[in-house]
Amino acid sequence: LPYTTPIEKHFYQHKAEGYYNFYVENYRNMYFLPDWLSAYIQMNFNITVDHSNLELCRDVVFYVVLLYGSIVSFRTALFWMLTINPYTYPWVLAVDFVDWLYDSLAGILPCVAGIDLVPTFIMLLVGKIADSINHLVFTMPFLPSEGNKVKMLIEGDVKEVIQF
């Protein structure tokens, strides 16, 4: 099974001064919540430093998207099995989960040389969504716009980081 690999945060907290911040390495495929959504979650759900519940929700959504990708892959395989009627039980469950999306995209994406590109596009879309969810960074108790791009000396190398 695939697993989530969240981007690691490095914390700094000073007991005497009470100063608290963290930084993440500046990867190009990091995603942050919009400021308005991050502020809403922080204020209404009282989430500050410990956001393990949000990370659990992110992991659940990640696995649901991967499960949907597996169902799409199974439905695509059913296209090639001529002896199986996909509109009978239990195969109809996969058809019901996938065909609404397939039918909405079938009119937009053309067939090229007799090959239907919709299943490929759906799998590309599901993979991109899963990758984006996997690289979602929560910046609580800060807003994402409060991050500063700086260069830091980390283990003898100068690296670009986003410091909160």
Side-chain angles (χ1 to χ4, degrees), residues 30-83:
M30 278 192 321
Y31 298 99
F32 299 99
L33 292 175
D35 280 347
W36 63 269
L37 183 58
S38 183
Y40 180 82
I41 290 171
Q42 289 178 42
M43 288 188 283
N44 293 327
F45 298 110
N46 197 21
I47 295 178
T48 55
V49 178
D50 181 27
H51 45 75
S52 57
N53 291 337
L54 281 177
E55 290 177 352
L56 178 65
C57 290
R58 178 191 61 203
D59 291 348
V60 167
V61 171
F62 174 75
Y63 288 121
V64 166
V65 169
L66 288 182
L67 177 65
Y68 188 74
S70 298
I71 293 171
V72 168
S73 180
F74 179 71
R75 173 62 174 122
T76 304
L78 278 178
F79 281 130
W80 297 100
M81 298 178 192
L82 300 176
T83 59

Side-chain angles (χ1 to χ4, degrees), residues 12-23:
Y12 171 76
Q13 184 175 5
H14 194 274
K15 291 184 181 185
E17 296 175 9
Y19 185 70
Y20 167 81
N21 73 355
F22 67 92
Y23 69 90

Side-chain angles (χ1 to χ4, degrees), residues 12-153:
Y12 171 76
Q13 184 175 5
H14 194 274
K15 291 184 181 185
E17 296 175 9
Y19 185 70
Y20 167 81
N21 73 355
F22 67 92
Y23 69 90
V24 292
E25 290 190 35
N26 191 9
Y27 298 109
R28 66 183 177 102
N29 61 345
M30 278 192 321
Y31 298 99
F32 299 99
L33 292 175
D35 280 347
W36 63 269
L37 183 58
S38 183
Y40 180 82
I41 290 171
Q42 289 178 42
M43 288 188 283
N44 293 327
F45 298 110
N46 197 21
I47 295 178
T48 55
V49 178
D50 181 27
H51 45 75
S52 57
N53 291 337
L54 281 177
E55 290 177 352
L56 178 65
C57 290
R58 178 191 61 203
D59 291 348
V60 167
V61 171
F62 174 75
Y63 288 121
V64 166
V65 169
L66 288 182
L67 177 65
Y68 188 74
S70 298
I71 293 171
V72 168
S73 180
F74 179 71
R75 173 62 174 122
T76 304
L78 278 178
F79 281 130
W80 297 100
M81 298 178 192
L82 300 176
T83 59
I84 296 175
N85 183 2
Y87 299 103
T88 60
Y89 188 80
W91 317 114
V92 74
L93 297 174
V95 171
D96 287 342
F97 278 124
V98 175
D99 276 3
W100 65 272
L101 183 60
Y102 181 85
D103 292 340
S104 63
L105 292 175
I108 299 172
L109 294 173
C111 290
V112 176
I115 298 173
D116 191 10
L117 297 178
V118 174
T120 305
F121 183 74
I122 292 174
M123 289 305 294
L124 179 108
L125 189 66
V126 166
K128 182 62 178 167
I129 290 171
D131 187 52
S132 299
I133 292 170
N134 192 22
H135 291 110
L136 182 64
V137 177
F138 298 114
T139 60
M140 282 71 171
F142 304 102
L143 294 176
S145 63
E146 293 174 342
N148 298 320
K149 292 183 182 178
V150 296
K151 293 186 180 190
M152 293 181 81
L153 186 64

